[in-house]
Amino acid sequence: MRFLLAFLILLLPAPLLAQWKVAETGRFRVHADMPARALESRAILLEDFHRLLVRATGRDLPADAPRLDVFLVPDIQSASPWRPVGANVSGFYRASAGRISAIALEEVQGSRSSGLAQALLLHEYAHHFLLGASRTAYPAWYVEGFAEYFSTARFRDDRIEYGEASPIRAAALARTRWIPLEALLARDPALLRGSQSAIFYAQSWLLTHYLFRAPGMRDRLVAYLKAYGAGEDPVAAFRTHVDPDFRAFESRLRTYVTREATYSRFDRAGPQTVSVSVTDLPRSAADMLLPMVAIEHGVPPGRRAEALADLRARAARHPGDALAARALALAELHLGSPATAATLLDAQLNQLPRDADLLRWRAQAARMTDAKAGGEDARRYLVRAWNAAPQDWRTLHAYARLYRSQTRPMPADALDVLLKAYGLAPQVTDVVLDTALALTNAGRLREAAQVLEPLAWSPHGGPAAELAQRMLLKARAGDRAGVQAEIGDLRRVRLAMASTAQRL
């Protein structure tokens, strides 16, 4: 009988055997299909890494910042159904109107790739930290170089080490022709993709490492980044604040990487205790969780019908399952029938009347199904969601959008709510653009420009960054009507963003 049972288990589809779990700490929710102890160790690693970044930079995320959702997956394509993923992508970080999350390949203990998997996970969190702990625009090489520099951190029982050389990046520097420094510094997002991406990341790591650690370089880096954030030409700013002689500077970089690079080691002050709770997710999570996340981040227009059919089929495999019902409601809301979504959500709210996600989705369904009365119904649902989860930036953003106008100022209390959402989620493009427009409408163009700067020069910003650049120039010029006119292009930008491939 035992042999027969084992044989039958082997015949079951993999999703039915999977047991996803979530490990929760003060700053993270880490989701994976792995043993509880291993998952707990990943969550503790991230908390350790967060403390290291605070110590090394002197900055921190807001005290009430939302926990980051992290998903560790065995196959990166499964984490991004219906959206193209580059062949060389092993993880990505996304901050969209529905969710902020990081995806990384899971670590395989004892394999050659286990250290690389950890470095990737830390790389993705470094992006989240850099974007959330600062309101400054950064060049592409620094965004990636910062993440690469800290991603090799190692946490022992008695000490912490960081700044060690990345074997992959060092190898690329040794065997690949370097990108000219002037091209590396320029605002050229094409370098992040294609055949030059590997050497771009390697040089970005080296340049950051050198400017962080070489004597006298840190102050020059700070001056350069300040000039960059103020909108100066990145190449000219580097010549002014770091070094005018690019040929000599590159020669020093080559010497530094082969002979002079150092790393830091310090003793732990004492044992760090991290409160971690690990919870089994429903069996349906293997089928439903990642597609739900994909829907919250947005499905490309050409794949919406396919995605809806897929979600309906997945949900049908789990009758009576709460997570499947939630996923189906979300799919109907974004891809299918908002009226059907409202019915599904009402049934779930009867059981979970204080579920902030369900209430927020129900508010959206109300607005989509009734243009006149929907606004007031949406307001009531959002107030309930706000009471259930006061720090959920998505609810705050949705509430403020009830008062959004292309030209008219928001009520002061609604603008305060939007500013709080921005403070919690400055990485989210929609929040940034809505906040900049609202400040512009209120006549606060200098503040609007400050909000726009990081997005305007974001290396991964794409069409949204181009829109933000145009808005920024007009905000700095005091051209209120010009900023308001630019926001009319937002629908085209959102469609372009929805079709964009995932990038590391």
Side-chain angles (χ1 to χ4, degrees):
M1 177 63 74
R2 183 177 300 172
F3 174 82
L4 177 60
L5 178 60
F7 179 74
L8 291 174
I9 289 175
L10 289 173
L11 294 179
L12 290 174
L16 296 180
L17 293 173
Q19 181 63 64
W20 277 73
K21 301 174 182 67
V22 57
E24 299 184 68
T25 69
R27 295 182 180 87
F28 301 94
R29 284 187 295 259
V30 187
H31 307 74
D33 173 18
M34 65 174 56
R37 185 168 296 180
L39 184 57
E40 181 179 338
S41 72
R42 305 299 192 281
I44 293 173
L45 169 70
L46 286 167
E47 287 285 353
D48 257 341
F49 188 54
H50 175 88
R51 284 192 291 267
L52 170 62
L53 292 176
V54 172
R55 171 174 175 152
T57 65
R59 296 184 176 183
D60 200 353
L61 299 176
D64 50 359
R67 285 182 290 184
L68 177 65
D69 284 309
V70 178
F71 299 88
L72 305 178
V73 299
D75 168 34
I76 207 68
Q77 183 62 63
S78 68
S80 185
W82 322 303
R83 182 186 287 270
V85 180
N88 61 340
V89 171
S90 299
F92 49 85
Y93 170 83
R94 284 183 63 83
S96 57
R99 178 185 286 272
I100 301 173
S101 67
I103 307 286
L105 285 173
E106 68 182 30
E107 182 174 344
V108 179
Q109 292 293 333
S111 73
R112 286 186 172 182
S113 64
S114 60
L116 299 180
Q118 176 173 307
L120 174 63
L121 177 60
L122 300 186
H123 177 110
E124 297 304 334
Y125 183 67
H127 281 322
H128 179 74
F129 181 90
L130 183 66
L131 293 170
S134 172
R135 301 293 183 270
T136 303
Y138 294 112
W141 68 262
Y142 183 76
V143 171
E144 298 303 337
F146 179 93
E148 286 291 300
Y149 175 79
F150 285 105
S151 70
T152 59
R154 294 292 180 266
F155 301 89
R156 321 288 184 185
D157 291 339
D158 59 343
R159 68 185 186 275
I160 295 174
E161 300 168 347
Y162 71 95
E164 289 188 272
S166 164
I168 291 179
R169 303 312 179 195
L173 291 168
R175 66 171 181 258
T176 308
R177 183 176 181 180
W178 287 22
I179 299 168
L181 186 58
E182 187 165 341
L184 184 76
L185 297 170
R187 295 187 177 108
D188 182 6
L191 292 176
L192 291 158
R193 303 181 294 276
S195 60
Q196 289 188 297
S197 63
I199 190 62
F200 172 82
Y201 278 86
Q203 287 182 244
S204 296
W205 163 75
L206 174 58
L207 184 54
T208 303
H209 200 289
Y210 179 78
L211 294 176
F212 272 1
R213 305 190 68 88
M217 286 294 111
R218 179 69 74 113
D219 290 343
R220 298 188 191 187
L221 171 63
V222 170
Y224 163 76
L225 292 176
K226 184 176 180 180
Y228 180 93
E232 290 187 25
D233 176 80
V235 177
F238 198 91
R239 293 186 189 277
T240 300
H241 299 287
V242 181
D243 196 318
D245 188 341
F246 280 8
R247 178 174 294 181
F249 185 83
E250 183 178 297
S251 178
R252 288 199 300 275
L253 285 179
R254 292 182 182 274
T255 300
Y256 177 82
V257 73
T258 57
R259 303 178 191 172
E260 301 172 2
T262 61
Y263 70 96
S264 295
R265 172 189 294 176
F266 60 89
D267 294 336
R268 286 185 183 269
Q272 298 289 339
T273 57
V274 177
S275 176
V276 185
S277 63
V278 179
T279 305
D280 286 340
L281 296 176
R283 289 287 182 185
S284 60
D287 237 0
M288 313 304 303
L289 185 60
L290 293 175
M292 281 184 69
V293 173
I295 290 173
E296 288 180 300
H297 282 309
V299 177
R303 307 291 297 273
R304 291 166 63 88
E306 173 191 347
L308 179 59
D310 189 1
L311 257 294
R312 286 171 174 169
R314 289 172 182 259
R317 294 200 288 265
H318 304 278
D321 180 87
L323 181 61
R326 179 182 292 251
L328 181 60
L330 182 68
E332 293 289 352
L333 177 65
H334 288 279
L335 309 172
S337 164
T340 300
T343 300
L344 295 170
L345 290 166
D346 285 341
Q348 294 171 70
L349 284 168
N350 286 336
Q351 303 296 319
L352 299 167
R354 289 182 54 79
D355 187 298
D357 287 341
L358 296 177
L359 289 165
R360 188 179 69 256
W361 298 342
R362 185 63 181 84
Q364 186 174 349
R367 295 203 71 189
M368 296 171 71
T369 55
D370 190 334
K372 291 185 178 180
E376 188 55 41
D377 287 344
R379 186 176 294 105
R380 286 195 291 268
Y381 284 116
L382 289 172
V383 169
R384 289 171 59 188
W386 193 350
N387 290 332
Q391 303 304 321
D392 191 327
W393 61 270
R394 295 168 298 182
T395 297
L396 300 173
H397 183 218
Y399 182 87
R401 283 185 67 85
L402 295 175
Y403 301 92
R404 184 180 183 275
S405 167
Q406 190 164 332
T407 57
R408 294 192 305 273
M410 279 184 178
D413 59 343
L415 179 54
D416 287 342
V417 169
L418 180 56
L419 289 172
K420 183 172 184 179
Y422 171 72
L424 293 169
Q427 311 95 325
V428 178
T429 296
D430 280 343
V431 174
V432 170
L433 294 175
D434 283 346
T435 302
L437 176 61
L439 289 169
T440 297
N441 292 346
R444 298 160 61 174
L445 277 89
R446 179 175 295 180
E447 293 172 75
Q450 292 172 344
V451 168
L452 287 165
E453 282 174 358
L455 175 60
W457 309 122
S458 168
H460 293 300
E466 296 169 6
L467 172 61
Q469 288 170 24
R470 298 194 299 271
M471 294 173 65
L472 174 61
L473 292 174
K474 293 178 179 178
R476 284 176 172 166
D479 183 0
R480 178 177 174 179
V483 177
Q484 293 167 336
E486 289 291 350
I487 207 71
D489 199 29
L490 186 55
R491 177 175 172 77
R492 181 192 65 80
V493 167
R494 283 177 174 151
L495 288 173
M497 289 170 59
S499 301
T500 301
Q502 303 281 15
R503 293 193 297 272
L504 180 66

